């Protein structure tokens, strides 16, 4: 809300109209303090199920539950004022039928207040996107590399290297966009394919390991800020070394504690002076 009580959040519909315009800045956010910092910089914050690997230390995104997504989505929405917050529907919570997807999306939107949900999948989920859109739920699609399709220990590989697979990714993006998705994430696809898809679908494409031609870009914040270092995909650009900073801070704290330099007098509460206590 702004001073006059108007809602000043970026809406999914506004982002949809940004097709071909200034690139849309997107990042992931999972917690309130981080979301608060990012809110002034990104127009879209995704509560991605990548939180399973980044926050919970899982080997894949498949163990993420709906309750986890709702708890983190709620925290991110409460901490932000401006960004369009999108919450991932986790593995197993929407694929069975449009009715299952509607039930899950309704819970996510009602319990978090998010603006939209994201689902992974292509042509096979077009009907689900159509039904969700008709129910007034804004949907972000996700094609190319779909982490939920990669089993535990599986490889996150580049998609679209051979002609048949490229055609499949193209058809998936087209089907989802034509079904009414307000935007489509293209993950880990070869550059010319991302460029082609961006030129031919009506919805903005949001690239991650895709192409500068996409209508927007997203990175996992913990990758971009150097906080998640278990592995770094080739497409990530590191803008900070937060893990290194935290390591240095923890080292300095440990040294201070062992040397009794912390807490110093200014961190301690002195006994009340006698006059103060006289009441
Ligand atoms: O879960 C996630 O963070 C995502 C982005 C990488 C697009 O889906």
């Amino acid at each position: 809300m702004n001073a006059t009580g108007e809602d000043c959040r970026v809406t999914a519909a506004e982002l949809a109209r940004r097709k071909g315009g200034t690139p849309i800045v997107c990042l992931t956010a999972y917690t309130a303090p981080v979301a608060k910092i990012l809110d002034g910089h990104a127009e879209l914050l995704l509560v991605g199920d990548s939180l399973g690997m980044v926050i919970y230390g899982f080997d894949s995104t498949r163990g993420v539950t709906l309750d986890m997504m709702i708890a983190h989505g709620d925290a991110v929405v409460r901490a932000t004022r401006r960004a369009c917050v999108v919450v991932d529907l986790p593995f197993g919570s929407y694929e069975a039928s449009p009715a299952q997807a509607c039930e899950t999306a309704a819970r996510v939107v009602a319990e978090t207040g998010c603006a939209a949900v994201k689902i992974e999948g292509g042509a096979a989920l077009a009907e689900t996107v159509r039904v969700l859109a008709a129910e007034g739920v804004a949907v972000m699609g996700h094609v190319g590399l779909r982490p939920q399709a990669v089993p535990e220990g599986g490889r996150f590989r580049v998609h679209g290297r051979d002609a048949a697979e490229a055609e499949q990714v193209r058809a998936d993006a087209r089907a989802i966009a034509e079904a009414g998705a307000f935007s489509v994430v293209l993950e880990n696809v070869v550059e010319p394919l991302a460029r082609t898809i961006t030129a031919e679908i009506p919805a903005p494409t949001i690239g991650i390991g895709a192409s500068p031609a996409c209508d927007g870009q997203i990175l996992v914040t913990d990758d971009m800020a150097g906080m998640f270092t278990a592995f770094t995909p080739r497409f990530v650009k590191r803008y900070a070394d937060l893990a290194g900073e935290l390591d240095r801070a923890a080292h300095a704290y440990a040294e201070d504690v062992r040397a009794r330099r912390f807490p110093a007098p200014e961190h301690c509460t002195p006994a009340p002076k006698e006059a103060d206590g006289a009441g």
Side-chain angles (χ1 to χ4, degrees), residues 8-100:
C8 51
R9 266 193 201 275
V10 177
T11 65
E14 278 163 11
L15 293 177
R17 289 194 291 273
R18 291 268 296 271
K19 176 81 192 170
T22 310
I24 302 166
V25 180
C26 314
L27 282 168
T28 61
Y30 316 125
T31 63
V34 171
K36 204 168 185 167
I37 294 168
L38 304 180
D39 196 32
H41 302 286
E43 286 105 34
L44 185 151
L45 289 177
L46 172 68
V47 185
D49 62 354
S50 51
L51 62 79
M53 300 165 93
V54 174
I55 302 270
Y56 290 93
F58 297 167
D59 284 334
S60 87
T61 59
R62 288 188 168 193
V64 174
T65 66
L66 185 55
D67 286 342
M68 284 176 180
M69 295 311 300
I70 289 174
H72 287 275
D74 179 41
V76 169
V77 171
R78 243 174 315 108
T80 53
R81 291 284 167 271
R82 174 180 169 267
C84 176
V85 178
V86 180
V87 176
D88 257 341
L89 300 192
F91 179 68
S93 74
Y94 62 94
E95 304 90 329
S97 64
Q100 185 203 26

Side-chain angles (χ1 to χ4, degrees), residues 97-124:
S97 64
Q100 185 203 26
C102 280
E103 196 175 316
T104 303
R107 230 194 110 189
V108 169
V109 171
E111 294 183 32
T112 68
C114 68
V117 298
K118 177 162 80 60
I119 59 177
E120 294 185 9

Side-chain angles (χ1 to χ4, degrees), residues 27-30 46-52 54 61 69 88 118 120 140-142 145 147-148 185-187 206-208 218-221 223 235:
L27 282 168
T28 61
Y30 316 125
L46 172 68
V47 185
D49 62 354
S50 51
L51 62 79
V54 174
T61 59
M69 295 311 300
D88 257 341
K118 177 162 80 60
E120 294 185 9
M140 184 177 215
H142 185 151
L145 169 65
Q148 291 177 8
V185 170
L186 303 180
E187 179 163 358
I206 306 297
I208 173 164
I218 187 164
L219 281 177
V220 169
T221 297
D223 286 338
F235 55 72

